[in-house]
Amino acid sequence: MIEDDALTLQRVRAGDDTAFALLVRRYEPKLRAYVVQMVGIEEEARDLVQEAFIRAWKHLDQYDPTYRFSTWLFRIAHNLAIDHLRRNRRPMVSLDLGEDEEGDAMQLDLPDPGRGPLATLANRELAAALAREIAHLPAAYRELVILRHFVGLAYNEIAELKRLPLGTVKNKLFRAHSVLREALGEYLGQVGGAT
Amino acid sequence: MSGTCREVQRSLEELGGALPPDVEAHLGACAACRAHAALLGQLEVLAPAPADEARVLEIMAALPPAPWARRRAWAWMPAAAAVALVAAGLGLVGALPAPSVMGSLPEAAGGLLGWMGSYALDALAAADSGSGAVQAVAAAGGVGLLAGMLVTLLGGGWAMLSLVRRGRSEQ
């Protein structure tokens, strides 16, 4: 577990309720980015993330500190999002943690370069091309790219969340980046000065 | 792509921030590695922005009372019941119990329960009939006595139960 989280959780358990705000501040943006990728609607993602924090708060005594707190939190949010999608009979996206074994179709929406994180890129053509190329990546690569760059997870957080060896995560992301670099060479030359 | 390019690109993935001079020098001469660095730079921008403070406050406000705080309060209930037991005992006997009894609340609870029981039995024995028994009890302490008995029974029972459970868990 991340040492910072361990200390913060100790404070929470000792009765310092405000310490939980540190965890909310630390993980709310990443959780929301993650859930948005699953449910596709920002407002729904906000509500689901709030519910995830409430559940974590209520069941903090069930948290197993041999895992990262963030992994536990993401699993809670993941399960809430899956339940939400099932209730609303919407197709599920590809951010599967290996827990959904009911054979539901997994399909990631094409990242929209006009909305969300891609809209922050100054180069509109690059944003559109990046969205297109990420959507064309093999599912296993695409998922890791989303977790790493859209959700903002560290390599070791992704490894624990996906239950993959750290080396596998690094290798797959390196290959994914290489594929993207090859596909986007023209745009990246403009951005990075490559010839 | 050369082995050097692969190493440089790997190091770009893991280093971030300031690059070693040899990597910087390689980037100056290699378009492919420069493109790799540019891609990583663009992807960095996609990371979520820091949390909005208003949103943090909104989530904190939505949290229910801490369950572990409730459990802590619940853990004090046997002690509170024991205090109520002593207070009821003091009220009923009108004097301080012996120091040995004060030193051991469960024993005091047992003693008080016994005293209450024998007091009630004496009252019943002195009565000629059921209604006489009620009148005797009412005369001996009335509603206050009944309330005291109730508190004593509940508090004493709770304290005893806690002691038994603690004894079992320590075995």
Side-chain angles (χ1 to χ4, degrees):
Chain A
M1 181 169 55
I2 299 170
E3 187 58 31
D4 277 355
D5 286 353
L7 292 173
T8 308
L9 285 168
Q10 270 181 15
R11 285 173 53 197
V12 173
R13 288 206 180 92
D16 180 1
D17 295 353
T18 58
F20 196 76
L22 295 176
L23 297 170
V24 175
R25 200 170 288 121
R26 196 173 293 159
Y27 292 114
E28 193 273 341
K30 291 180 179 184
L31 273 182
R32 188 153 41 85
Y34 178 72
V35 176
V36 162
Q37 291 292 330
M38 294 183 74
V39 302
I41 298 173
E42 178 76 23
E43 288 308 310
E44 290 180 3
R46 281 168 63 93
D47 292 346
L48 288 167
V49 166
Q50 177 164 318
E51 182 58 28
F53 277 113
I54 290 172
R55 287 212 184 171
W57 169 260
K58 278 183 180 171
H59 302 291
L60 210 53
D61 54 349
Q62 292 171 19
Y63 162 61
D64 177 358
T66 54
Y67 296 98
R68 288 167 188 279
F69 178 72
S70 60
T71 302
W72 186 61
L73 202 52
F74 271 80
R75 287 191 191 287
I76 292 173
H78 177 87
N79 291 337
L80 283 169
I82 293 286
D83 288 346
H84 176 80
L85 291 170
R86 284 199 179 121
R87 268 199 310 275
N88 293 284
R89 299 179 183 283
R90 298 222 301 268
M92 312 225 179
V93 296
S94 72
L95 291 175
D96 175 31
L97 299 184
E99 294 168 339
D100 181 46
E101 295 170 351
E102 295 183 13
D104 295 285
M106 295 287 180
Q107 191 75 48
L108 177 74
D109 291 334
L110 185 73
D112 183 349
R115 292 171 53 218
L118 284 168
T120 60
L121 292 182
N123 186 329
R124 309 305 308 146
E125 287 183 2
L126 173 61
L130 192 54
R132 188 179 62 241
E133 296 305 329
I134 289 173
H136 287 161
L137 284 173
Y141 289 2
R142 185 172 59 223
E143 185 179 1
L144 295 188
V145 166
I146 287 172
L147 289 173
R148 176 77 184 100
H149 301 295
F150 288 71
V151 180
L153 295 183
Y155 286 115
N156 47 12
E157 287 177 311
I158 297 171
E160 193 171 291
L161 192 64
K162 291 293 302 168
R163 297 192 179 107
L164 287 172
L166 182 59
T168 303
V169 171
K170 287 181 178 178
N171 282 335
K172 284 188 173 178
L173 273 167
F174 178 67
R175 284 190 212 126
H177 292 153
S178 299
V179 170
L180 290 175
R181 186 196 68 234
E182 293 291 329
L184 299 171
E186 176 192 347
Y187 304 99
L188 293 171
Q190 297 162 12
V191 174
T195 54
Chain B
M1 184 173 66
S2 70
T4 307
C5 285
R6 180 175 284 272
E7 284 169 24
V8 166
Q9 288 166 16
R10 283 270 186 189
S11 62
L12 288 171
E13 302 249 328
E14 303 201 12
L15 289 173
L19 298 172
D22 56 330
V23 173
E24 289 277 14
H26 181 90
L27 287 181
C30 178
C33 290
R34 228 168 25 246
H36 202 88
L39 171 70
L40 294 177
Q42 293 298 305
L43 290 171
E44 286 277 313
V45 179
L46 303 179
D52 173 23
E53 200 54 33
R55 181 71 188 131
V56 174
L57 294 175
E58 197 179 327
I59 290 173
M60 289 303 291
L63 296 178
W68 51 92
R70 282 206 303 273
R71 278 194 291 276
R72 274 200 294 271
W74 195 243
W76 281 99
M77 289 302 286
V83 170
L85 168 72
V86 171
L90 287 174
L92 288 167
V93 301
L96 280 172
S100 60
V101 177
M102 288 291 283
S104 173
L105 279 178
E107 286 169 8
L112 202 54
L113 278 171
W115 178 83
M116 294 297 293
S118 64
Y119 194 94
L121 285 173
D122 289 347
L124 288 169
D128 296 332
S129 64
S131 61
V134 172
Q135 285 170 357
V137 171
V143 176
L145 178 61
L146 287 171
M149 284 177 72
L150 188 64
V151 169
T152 304
L153 279 168
L154 287 175
W158 199 326
M160 297 270 187
L161 196 62
S162 297
L163 275 177
V164 169
R165 279 184 178 164
R166 196 170 64 187
R168 278 183 186 160
S169 66
E170 284 172 357
Q171 281 173 1

